[in-house]
Each structure stands twice: as C-alpha cells, then as structure tokens.
Amino acid sequence: MPLPTTALPPTLEWRDDALHLLDQTLLPNEIVVERQHDAQQVWHAIHQLKVRGAPAIGVAGAYGLCVAMQPHRALPAAAFRDKLGEQAAYLDSSRPTAVNLHWALQRMQASLGGRDDAGGEALYQALVDEAQAIHAEDVALCEGIGRHGLPLIRPGCGVLTHCNAGALATTGIGTATAPMYLAQRAGIPLRVYADETRPLLQGARLTSFELQRSGIDVTLITDNMAAATMQRGLVDLVIVGTDRVAANGDVANKIGTLGVAILARHFGIPFYVACPSSTLDLATPDGQRIVIEERGAEEVTSFGLRRTAPEGMQVRNPAFDVTPHALVSGFITERGLIEPPFDRQFAALFS
Ligand code: MRU
C-alpha cells in the first residue's frame, strides 16, 4: 500500500525531555517513532540500526547520554561525572566505525569542564544544552555541505550514490544528498541512481524512499548493476558519505563503496565523498587502522525475513570497507571542497 504523502517525522528529536527516534529498520513499510527510556534502549537502537548514519548516531549518542544521566540528576558533581564517563563508554561501544559517535560523546563530557561548583541537576541541564547545540550544528553542517557540493551538479547530470547518506542519516538534508536537495530547490534537473546496498538495503529502503518522497528523479539499481549503469554513460558523478576519514584521506564507508570507487576510476567518473568535519579523524593516520564493524551472519544468509543460504554456512559480514585516498576526487565539507593532497589540506583546514 503506498504511504501517505504526509511529512516524514524527523530522524530524531528531543521532545518532552526525552529522545524520540524514527525506527529506520521498519522503513519504507511502516513509520514508527520510538521514545527512548534508558541507556540500554539507546544502545540497542544504535546497534540494531534503528538510528544509523554517522552524523545521526553522533546526535543520537549525545541525546542518549542525556537519557542515560536522567536518573542520576540527584548525584553530587563528582559522582555525576563518574557515572557520565561510565555511560559514555557504554554508548560508545554500540558501534565502532563511525567516528561521529565517539566525537559527540567526548564533546558532551568535555562540555562539563570547569563546572565543579554545580550539582547533578545543573550538569544534566548543561548536557541537554550541549546535545541540542550538536543537533543544531548538524542541521547547519548539512546545508554547508550542500552549498559547496552544488556546483558539481550540472543540469541533467546522473549521480550515483551508495548506502544512505541522506536526510535519514543526519538531522538535516544529509551529506551526499545535500547537493542533490539544493539542486532540486534551485530547479536544476538531475537523475540519481541509488545502489540497493546489500545486506541491509539502506539504498533501497532509505535513499530511494526519501528521494522519491521529495520528488527527485531516482532510479534504484542492485549493487551489481553499477558497472553496467556507468558503462552505459548514465553516471557523470558519484557522491557517497563516510563514517570516518583518516588523516591521509582514506575513507571508511558502507561495504561496497570501494567497488564503486574502483569502477568510477575505470570509467573516468569523478568520485566525491561528502562529510562534516566531525567525520575527519586526524588521529588515525590511514584507513588500515580504522576498526571495521563485523555484523551477524544472518544479515547475509537471508534477504529480509527469508533465508537464502544453507544452514551452517560460513559468512563474512564486514559492514564497511576502506577506499584508498588515491581513488577519491575530493571531499565536500561544510568548509569547502577539498582536493588532493588531502593530508596537507586537512592539516591546514582542520588542525
Ligand atoms: O550502517 P549504516 O547504515 O549506519 O551505514 C551508513 C553509511 O555508511 C553512510 O554512508 C555514512 O554513515 C555516512 S551518513 C551521512
């Protein structure tokens, strides 16, 4: 049954002193918003990908820490801080690859620095303020990425994207999708090819869903159709998101991104990575040091709820891969378009 054309609830929001998440595992079939009651529920929501996408899990982690600290508001400052460190480490363990989660949890803890005179209630309020600041910044960062990426979108061009680095992966207009949404606002026609993105189908369930709802011309392809789509001359540009960028410009993103980057190089198609500066991890020198999340075998041995592989099958299921910086044409950030050599440009812009 087609969904009503009513507006989609936000990816997440802080309402009535609580975190509310749009459950992305149910999309595109059901629109369900879930109130988060405690730290365990937030941990599972991030781990199960109810909320997913690097920027969105950063914001969810920040609000998740507020949820986790709510029952501890009566504690004196020192005990409140001890509990805060414990809860932040717990939430940080929900997913390892996207640096935004770690970044947001660190920033939340650092925001209480120098407030030794305050009690638990005041510290809790300061945490909520900081989470709301991170949230507001995320919305603005997406717009900035869109502005800097917009000149890449030529009228009538075909853009291929992988996974979902869209509005659903952020609290704004997405990262990879930001230039697409701004092109649409500006009346610039474009065609988007969304890779299905096995095993969890973020391209089919989320990217094609949100772009279609917004009226952008989007065509869904399976992952193994990307090469033929490029060979037919339908793709002028690739834009993907990322979960972590190392200091040398190596890019961790959804499994399959590396293949797309190799194809783009083969067919002479520019390959851009869109991300906010909070996704740059200058402390990690190169992509080989990025921890890649391994997920359960059942994601590979089934398609939706239907089992598609023999029982007892050996499976590999890395959720992300690393694209070497040599395959990246440039990074679209809120501070501008960054071209090689990335290590020097990052150091100059972000250190
Ligand atoms: O496993 P997911 O769905 O969280 O993976 C998301 C991605 O790989 C995105 O491309 C990345 O987080 C960037 S989102 C703006």
Side-chain angles (χ1 to χ4, degrees):
M1 195 174 61
L3 284 165
T5 49
T6 48
L8 202 59
T11 303
L12 59 87
E13 69 180 320
W14 185 254
R15 174 160 47 84
D16 305 329
D17 225 20
L19 172 62
H20 294 79
L21 296 176
L22 172 62
D23 183 348
Q24 299 192 28
T25 61
L26 301 176
L27 293 176
N29 299 316
E30 283 177 72
I31 295 177
V32 174
V33 173
E34 192 180 82
R35 184 188 164 117
Q36 304 295 301
H37 297 283
D38 54 37
Q40 284 76 13
Q41 196 185 5
V42 177
W43 190 97
H44 285 288
I46 296 173
H47 186 71
Q48 293 168 0
L49 277 54
K50 289 185 176 184
V51 59
R52 31 68 52 204
I57 63 173
V59 182
Y63 283 133
L65 198 51
C66 300
V67 171
M69 294 309 292
Q70 239 165 19
H72 307 294
R73 281 182 284 187
L75 289 175
F80 185 92
R81 280 173 197 282
D82 288 349
K83 197 73 186 166
L84 181 70
E86 202 181 278
Q87 294 294 315
Y90 170 64
L91 289 171
D92 205 4
S93 69
S94 55
R95 290 193 83 187
T97 304
V99 72
N100 306 58
L101 177 61
H102 181 71
W103 170 87
L105 291 167
Q106 291 287 324
R107 178 170 153 176
M108 290 288 286
Q109 294 175 85
S111 73
L112 299 190
R115 308 246 351 223
D116 293 334
D117 52 330
E121 181 63 43
L123 294 178
Y124 168 75
Q125 286 307 330
L127 284 178
V128 174
D129 291 348
E130 190 66 14
Q132 287 177 323
I134 290 172
H135 187 170
E137 282 169 30
D138 184 56
V139 175
L141 291 172
C142 292
E143 294 285 333
I145 290 168
R147 275 196 304 280
H148 292 293
L150 182 58
L152 298 171
I153 311 273
R154 304 260 174 255
C157 79
V159 187
L160 184 137
T161 191
H162 189 74
C163 193
N164 173 263
L168 288 163
T170 66
T171 56
I173 57 172
T175 61
T177 56
M180 305 173 197
Y181 284 122
L182 290 199
Q184 188 200 30
R185 273 189 218 164
I188 300 167
L190 78 158
R191 282 170 290 111
V192 179
Y193 294 93
D195 277 354
E196 176 184 49
T197 317
R198 270 285 282 156
L200 293 182
L201 307 177
Q202 287 91 332
R205 295 187 303 102
L206 308 176
T207 303
S208 62
F209 173 70
E210 67 166 81
L211 294 181
Q212 184 193 50
R213 280 178 78 99
S214 73
I216 289 180
D217 177 346
V218 57
T219 302
L220 176 64
I221 58 174
T222 62
D223 299 332
N224 52 4
M225 293 175 192
T229 306
M230 290 181 181
Q231 191 184 43
R232 288 277 300 271
L234 297 172
V235 180
D236 302 290
L237 176 69
V238 175
I239 310 180
V240 296
T242 172
D243 287 80
R244 192 185 291 243
V245 181
N248 69 345
D250 289 352
V251 170
N253 193 44
K254 181 51 56 193
I255 192 76
T257 303
L258 172 60
V260 174
I262 293 169
L263 288 173
R265 175 57 57 93
H266 176 81
F267 289 108
I269 297 167
F271 178 92
Y272 281 92
V273 178
C275 64
S277 47
S278 51
T279 310
L280 297 184
D281 178 10
L282 298 186
T284 296
D286 60 59
Q288 293 318 306
R289 326 272 172 111
I290 297 175
V291 177
I292 299 295
E293 178 183 8
E294 291 280 342
R295 295 186 64 86
E298 67 288 351
E299 293 179 357
V300 176
T301 55
S302 59
F303 198 90
L305 293 177
R306 195 165 75 87
R307 189 172 180 93
T308 53
E311 294 286 346
M313 178 54 59
Q314 286 186 66
V315 164
R316 286 197 67 234
N317 188 15
F320 301 95
D321 58 27
V322 174
T323 298
H325 60 91
L327 296 176
V328 178
S329 308
F331 289 88
I332 311 168
T333 76
E334 80 279 6
R335 302 199 195 176
L337 207 60
I338 300 177
E339 287 175 339
F342 300 125
D343 48 357
R344 271 186 261 155
Q345 301 284 357
F346 289 162
L349 269 168
F350 299 104
S351 57

